[in-house]
């Protein structure tokens, strides 16, 4: 059984049995017909995966893990907020509803990775600084990337959901914590897990380290009111074994990774469940 399935079932059971409803509150999200999109939520969820043991993808439904990988490359390699580029270069099209008239996300996501920040050792963007620290000061407790810049929130078309990473090396394994303010769990929950697990793999391989633990903290984990029946259906399914992630070991530079360097062997999964997305 995949660890991704164990976590998914545990969280869905908790939401359906103990989740707090915001029904009748003045909520921001709406369905396409204009109806308010209410949720069941739970606060402060910490999910733990050991990437040295398996890749944390669920099998209870398909996960578009390659799309998540392409978002990684768009944000952290290209350092782009350009939705046109995401569609044309990678074929990922579901960000269009958040784009502005110029076809980008304003000052959000990859734009934050593009900034050059001044350090004692010179100017770095956040990813280059992380890689520099892992190579030159791997036991540092200051290895952080952050997409949530309060000074730029006014210019973002979408406030980042998964926004902060913290990294730790113990002499053998490179571990990471991801902090996420909000998770539309059935729509994007496992995509977020797989894409940041892939980011951890890429960073580790580029600095010659082995991947370790992946801690994923979600402040507000929720499912929407039009997803309750789909959640119950997923809970009735029997999981398959976790697949094996295979990465081209010849790639040593973070900026050289491409989608074709990643493969999943033996990924069995149940059929997809259709979900309406609240905006």
């Amino acid at each position: 059984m995949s660890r991704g399935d164990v976590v998914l079932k545990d969280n869905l059971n908790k939401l359906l049995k103990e989740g707090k409803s915001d029904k009748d509150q003045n909520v921001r999200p709406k369905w396409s017909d204009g109806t308010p999109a209410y949720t069941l939520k739970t606060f402060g969820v910490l999910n733990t995966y050991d990437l040295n043991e398996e890749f944390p993808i669920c099998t209870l439904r398909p996960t578009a893990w390659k799309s998540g990988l392409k978002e990684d490359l768009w944000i952290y390699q290209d350092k782009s907020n350009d939705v046109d580029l995401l569609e044309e270069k990678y074929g990922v099209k579901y960000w269009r509803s958040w784009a502005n008239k110029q076809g980008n996300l304003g000052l959000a996501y990859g734009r934050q990775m593009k900034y050059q920040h001044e350090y004692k050792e010179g100017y770095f963007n956040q990813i280059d600084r992380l890689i520099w620290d892992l190579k030159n000061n791997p036991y540092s407790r200051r290895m952080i990337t952050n997409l949530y810049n309060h000074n730029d929130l006014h210019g973002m078309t979408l406030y980042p959901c998964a926004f902060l990473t913290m990294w730790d090396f113990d002499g053998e394994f490179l571990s990471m914590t991801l902090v996420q303010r909000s998770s539309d769990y059935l729509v994007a929950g496992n995509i977020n897990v797989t894409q940041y697990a892939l980011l951890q793999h890429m960073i580790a391989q580029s600095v010659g380290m082995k991947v370790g633990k992946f801690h994923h903290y979600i402040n507000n984990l929720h499912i929407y009111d039009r997803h309750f029946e789909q959640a119950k259906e997923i809970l009735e399914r029997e999981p398959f074994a976790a697949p094996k992630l295979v990465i081209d070991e010849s790639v040593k530079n973070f900026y050289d990774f491409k989608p074709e360097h990643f493969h999943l062997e033996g990924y069995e999964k149940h059929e997809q469940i259709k979900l309406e997305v609240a905006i």
Side-chain angles (χ1 to χ4, degrees):
M1 180 187 300
S2 168
R3 172 66 180 163
D5 291 324
V6 173
V7 171
L8 177 62
K9 281 199 169 191
D10 286 348
N11 285 331
L12 288 179
N13 272 315
K14 185 173 184 178
L15 283 165
L16 291 173
K17 293 177 181 179
E18 305 172 17
K20 302 295 184 179
S21 174
D22 57 10
K23 189 172 177 58
D24 300 327
Q25 299 300 312
N26 183 22
V27 297
R28 177 193 57 79
K30 300 289 189 295
W31 298 111
S32 58
D33 60 9
T35 304
Y38 297 113
T39 65
L40 286 177
K41 74 156 187 180
T42 188
F43 167 75
V45 175
L46 178 62
N47 302 318
T48 301
Y49 310 91
D50 190 340
L51 301 190
N52 191 50
E53 293 183 354
E54 68 176 55
F55 185 62
I57 191 169
C58 72
T59 71
L60 297 169
R61 57 180 297 212
T63 297
W65 67 277
K66 271 287 180 78
S67 294
L69 169 63
K70 292 170 182 176
E71 290 176 12
D72 277 340
L73 302 181
W74 176 57
I75 295 169
Y76 293 102
Q77 268 191 5
D78 300 329
K79 299 177 179 62
S80 176
N81 61 354
D82 189 341
V83 175
D84 294 330
L85 175 68
L86 181 63
E87 293 182 353
E88 293 165 10
K89 183 176 181 179
Y90 299 112
V92 177
K93 300 185 182 298
Y94 47 78
W95 285 76
R96 177 59 56 183
S97 60
W98 291 290
N100 58 24
K101 293 180 180 179
Q102 290 73 45
N104 62 61
L105 303 178
L107 299 176
Y109 286 93
R111 183 63 186 84
Q112 295 300 314
M113 290 295 106
K114 196 171 185 177
Y115 284 125
Q116 294 284 316
H117 301 276
E118 185 176 6
Y119 302 85
K120 292 180 180 179
E121 299 81 7
Y123 284 86
F124 299 84
N125 62 57
Q126 293 187 53
I127 282 292
D128 288 348
R129 178 65 194 195
L130 170 63
I131 293 171
W132 188 92
D133 274 332
L134 286 168
K135 290 180 175 180
N136 294 278
N137 188 21
Y139 291 93
S140 171
R141 297 187 294 270
R142 302 172 179 178
M143 296 183 289
I144 297 170
T145 71
N146 184 16
L147 296 170
Y148 208 91
N149 180 352
H150 282 262
N151 198 50
D152 283 350
L153 290 180
H154 71 280
M156 298 183 184
T157 63
L158 175 68
Y159 288 10
C161 294
F163 67 92
L164 184 132
T165 66
M166 296 182 287
W167 303 74
D168 181 86
F169 180 61
D170 66 2
E172 184 176 10
F173 297 105
L174 177 63
S175 296
M176 182 191 74
T177 297
L178 171 67
V179 179
Q180 186 163 351
R181 65 172 178 84
S182 172
S183 176
D184 183 352
Y185 199 49
L186 280 186
V187 169
N190 201 235
I191 293 179
N192 291 143
V193 172
T194 57
Q195 73 179 142
Y196 277 90
L198 287 164
L199 179 65
Q200 188 173 339
H201 272 281
M202 285 188 280
I203 294 293
Q205 184 163 313
S206 68
V207 296
M209 296 176 179
K210 294 186 289 187
V211 289
K213 297 291 180 62
F214 170 26
H215 290 176
H216 185 192
Y217 174 78
I218 304 168
N219 201 59
N220 183 306
L221 181 76
H222 58 269
I223 54 174
Y224 281 96
D225 51 5
R226 294 187 183 179
H227 298 166
F228 295 168
E229 294 307 312
Q230 292 92 327
K232 294 174 184 176
E233 181 179 342
I234 288 173
L235 287 170
E236 293 175 355
R237 295 178 171 182
E238 292 297 324
F240 297 107
K244 180 182 179 182
L245 176 66
V246 179
I247 305 175
D248 186 339
E249 294 181 355
S250 69
V251 183
K252 303 301 182 183
N253 186 318
F254 175 74
Y255 292 99
D256 289 339
F257 282 110
K258 295 180 174 57
E260 56 265 30
H261 293 140
F262 300 81
H263 302 280
L264 279 185
E265 292 183 351
Y267 184 29
E268 294 184 83
K269 64 272 189 188
H270 288 272
E271 65 183 21
Q272 190 56 279
I273 292 180
K274 293 184 178 180
L275 296 165
E276 184 180 355
V277 179
I279 301 297

